[in-house]
Every structure is written in structure tokens, then in C-alpha cells.
Amino acid sequence: MLERLKQLEVEALTEVSNVPGLKELNDLRIKYLGKKGPIQEVMKNMKDMDPEERKSVGQISNQVKAVISQEIETKKEALEAEAIALQLANETIDVTLPGRMPAIGTIHPLQAILSELEELFIAMGYTVEEGPEVEWDHYNFELLNLPKGHPARDMQDSFYITEESLLRTHTSPVQARTLLAAKGKGPIKIICPGKVYRRDDDDATHSHQFTQIEGLVIGEDITMADLKGTLLELVRKMFGADREIRLRPSFFPFTEPSVEVDVTCSKCNGSGCSICKGTGWIEILGAGMVHPNVLEMSGFDSKKYQGFAFGIGAERIAMLKHGIEDIRNFYTNDLRFIAQFK
Ligand code: DAH
């Protein structure tokens, strides 16, 4: 009997040491230590033994069970540690790999122009004003010296909302609003960037909605020289320090005299090319000395105060600056277009 037990111990330990995994190990536990196992079988027969034999067989059985059970426990711990080590090895993270960068957006080229111009004018002491996009006819036209029926209203095809209100056709109504708010007292130095609307058919150079930047300066001895100096600053900031400008006589109802402003072509530097259509000059904005009627209608004494105003098309500036050929690019939001301005 004792022989049999020793033999079982050797068999069990050999099997345990060769077991491949936890599941098989558990099977061995049942096989050797379970109720129907061989050791249990030996113990069942103990009742038929004489007391001496029963005692030693009982002791050895318990020892063998303890040895096998201890061995199974040790093996189990080893197998579990192996499994964890394997899992850790499989899940290794290489912390030196570069991360995946989130896609970072770009400033829209139009917004960039507006920010640049705002920065320039704020540095020159201007404040930035806003006005409503749905505007009264009164501000959009009448207070700008364009009474009802004035032929110059045809220069700007309008989206009327009612008889008296419309989508503003330019940012110039903010001039009237600013003058009224100042209650006849200067000085004033403002710019106003914003959306404007015209009933144009959209094509490469026309958009029914576009962006202007209005400027208005009012004081007691403002001259056309101040206007020219300011515009030269603006042009050199936008197009380069070696640009020149020229003022051409023009007509706007709200300025007298009125000018259109050209800049030397930055492609050919004035010698003439396809961009400037061979003239060496590119028209970029309208401006002039504020018409006395405009001052008076909004409560300013035109004997005491004068000033200048200008209106810039922001898309036009951006198109010239970046060589953009179609104004619709600003509004169709094709990321391939926008991402070029990183
Ligand atoms: N409001 C004009 C337009 O949209 C542009 C303009 C011209 C604005 C002359 C001005 C100005 O302030 O003095 O065509």
C-alpha cells in the first residue's frame, strides 16, 4: 500500500511538472486529489487494515496529498505569472513612437486680412465699430447723400426687405450711425469691417455677399494729405514697403472730392503685366473727403469739422495679395483651398 502511495506521488509530480496550462493543471488536481482519485481510493480501504498499518497508511496518504497539493499550488502560481508576463509582452506600448497629431485648422485668408487691417488701424488710434447687416434705407442711402430716386443708387443693386429696409449694400451706413452717436462732436477715428450684399450674379469677380472695411476720420483740420498718408500706410502694410499709390478723381455721393486709389502692381512693379492689364497700376479702393451734406445731416457743423472716408473690398485685397483668381473660393469652404494659407 505504501509503495502504491509513493508511486502515485512520483507520477503526480511528474505530470504536474509537465502540465502545459492552468486548465490541464486543474484536471490533474481532480484526477489525483478528487473524491474519486487513487489516494481517496487507498484511504477507503483503510477500514479493513490492522491498526498499525492503518496508522502509517493514513499518515503517508495525508503527506502525499499535501505534497501533491503544494506542488499543484506552486505550479499554478508559476503558470499565472507566465500568463501575465506574456500578456504584458504582447501589450507593450512604445512610448517613443510619435503621437498622432490632431488636425489643426487655419485662419481663413479673408479673416487674416481683416485681422491685419484691424491691427494696423488700432495701432494708429482707430476704434473698431460694427453696424447691422439688415439696415434702414435711411442710413444705407439717405444720410449718405443719396436721397430716394438718386441715380447713384443704381450703382449698388440692393436686396430690399421692406420699402424702408434692406441688406446693407456697403459698410458706409456705419459712418452715419457713428456721426449721429457722436452728437456733433469730434474727433472720430473708426474702421468698420463687415459683410455687405449686392444683387449681383456670382462669377469669378462678383459675389452677392462680400466684405468691406469702412474707414472714417473726422476732426477740425483733416486734409486730403491725411487721407493719402493713411492709405499709403495701409497699402504698404498689405502689399509691401515699396508700393506707391495714386489717387484718381472719381465720384461717390458721400464724398467730395472723391477718389479711386490705385497701387503699383506688385507683380511687375509698375512696368505692366497681365495682372495689371499692362497699366502698372491696380485699383484697390474708393475714398474721399466726407461731403458737407453728410456731416450736416448727422448733426456736425461742416464749417468746423472735416474728414475723410474710405471703403475697401477685403476679398479684392486678399485676391491681389495671394493671387486668388475666383472670389467664390472664399465662400465654398474647400479645405484644400483654405489649408494653403497655413
Ligand atoms: N461705399 C462705397 C462702395 O461700396 C465705397 C466707398 C467709397 C466708401 C468712398 C467710402 C468712400 O467711405 O469714401 O462702393
Side-chain angles (χ1 to χ4, degrees):
M1 212 41 95
L2 297 178
E3 271 306 297
R4 168 87 182 119
L5 285 170
K6 278 287 159 204
Q7 193 194 335
L8 277 173
E9 181 180 313
V10 173
E11 268 175 38
L13 296 190
T14 317
E15 276 204 77
V16 167
S17 79
N18 291 331
V19 81
L22 285 163
K23 158 127 193 4
E24 293 82 354
L25 186 64
N26 202 42
D27 293 344
L28 285 183
R29 180 199 306 280
I30 295 164
K31 175 173 169 190
Y32 285 99
L33 306 178
K35 283 202 188 93
K36 290 177 185 150
I39 301 174
Q40 212 57 33
E41 203 56 38
V42 170
M43 289 169 110
K44 260 187 216 156
N45 297 330
M46 276 170 32
K47 59 183 188 312
D48 303 327
M49 296 172 188
D50 59 52
E52 271 303 293
E53 198 185 6
R54 188 187 305 154
K55 192 177 164 203
S56 60
V57 168
Q59 262 179 9
I60 302 292
S61 299
N62 282 333
Q63 270 173 26
V64 170
K65 266 169 83 172
V67 168
I68 296 175
S69 146
Q70 176 61 48
E71 200 56 27
I72 287 177
E73 206 42 46
T74 311
K75 185 72 183 178
K76 185 178 169 216
E77 278 165 24
L79 285 173
E80 279 171 353
E82 236 173 66
I84 287 175
L86 185 72
Q87 189 181 7
L88 287 178
N90 284 338
E91 291 176 4
T92 317
I93 293 169
D94 181 353
V95 292
T96 66
L97 276 177
R100 283 191 200 121
M101 288 300 169
I104 294 175
T106 39
I107 307 269
H108 193 283
L110 197 53
Q111 191 54 48
I113 296 281
L114 295 182
S115 302
E116 242 181 280
L117 284 174
E118 279 179 25
E119 224 170 78
L120 171 75
F121 281 103
I122 287 170
M124 295 197 290
Y126 288 64
T127 55
V128 179
E129 296 293 334
E130 281 184 1
E133 288 173 31
V134 176
E135 185 55 285
W136 298 110
D137 182 284
H138 188 61
Y139 294 105
N140 194 81
F141 289 129
E142 282 174 48
L143 288 179
L144 295 172
N145 208 24
L146 277 150
K148 289 217 166 72
H150 193 292
R153 282 191 179 210
D154 294 346
M155 286 162 76
Q156 305 180 352
D157 271 338
S158 319
F159 289 113
Y160 270 89
I161 291 167
T162 65
E163 283 272 297
E164 297 301 335
S165 63
L166 73 165
L167 294 178
R168 68 178 177 194
T169 55
H170 50 183
T171 43
S172 302
V174 180
Q175 287 190 33
R177 287 178 171 273
T178 307
L179 289 169
L180 283 168
K183 295 196 161 49
K185 214 176 148 324
I188 292 173
K189 269 176 108 174
I190 60 127
I191 57 162
C192 167
K195 293 193 181 82
V196 301
Y197 302 83
R198 304 252 176 115
R199 259 179 43 175
D200 275 329
D201 289 330
D202 290 3
D203 62 23
T205 53
H206 294 85
S207 171
H208 61 281
Q209 179 243 293
F210 58 104
T211 313
Q212 286 189 335
I213 301 148
E214 192 80 13
L216 175 69
V217 172
I218 301 291
E220 290 188 31
D221 43 22
I222 305 289
T223 71
M224 204 127 179
D226 298 309
L227 170 63
K228 190 170 180 191
T230 304
L231 294 178
L232 192 59
E233 255 331 285
L234 182 160
V235 156
R236 290 188 168 168
K237 162 95 173 175
M238 297 316 294
F239 297 109
D242 51 353
R243 297 297 99 205
E244 294 296 341
I245 58 171
R246 75 176 179 192
L247 307 187
R248 266 185 298 109
S250 182
F251 172 79
F252 299 104
F254 28 89
T255 43
E256 182 59 38
S258 301
V259 292
E260 253 156 325
V261 181
D262 298 341
V263 59
T264 44
C265 178
S266 45
K267 180 92 183 286
C268 64
N269 210 14
S271 59
C273 68
S274 62
I275 304 276
C276 56
K277 300 195 180 81
T279 65
W281 293 96
I282 295 174
E283 181 195 323
I284 51 158
L285 58 91
M289 300 306 289
V290 178
H291 198 293
N293 289 355
V294 171
L295 288 167
E296 296 287 343
M297 275 189 285
S298 290
F300 269 73
D301 178 354
S302 65
K303 300 255 164 23
K304 184 170 172 204
Y305 286 108
Q306 331 73 44
F308 64 78
F310 55 86
I312 312 169
E315 286 83 357
R316 183 159 169 76
I317 302 275
M319 287 168 84
L320 288 171
K321 193 168 159 143
H322 298 299
I324 299 166
E325 278 166 7
D326 194 322
I327 193 171
R328 290 168 292 198
N329 281 326
F330 293 111
Y331 298 106
T332 43
N333 286 332
D334 185 332
L335 286 178
R336 291 169 301 182
F337 168 72
I338 298 171
Q340 294 176 60
F341 300 93
K342 269 215 165 92

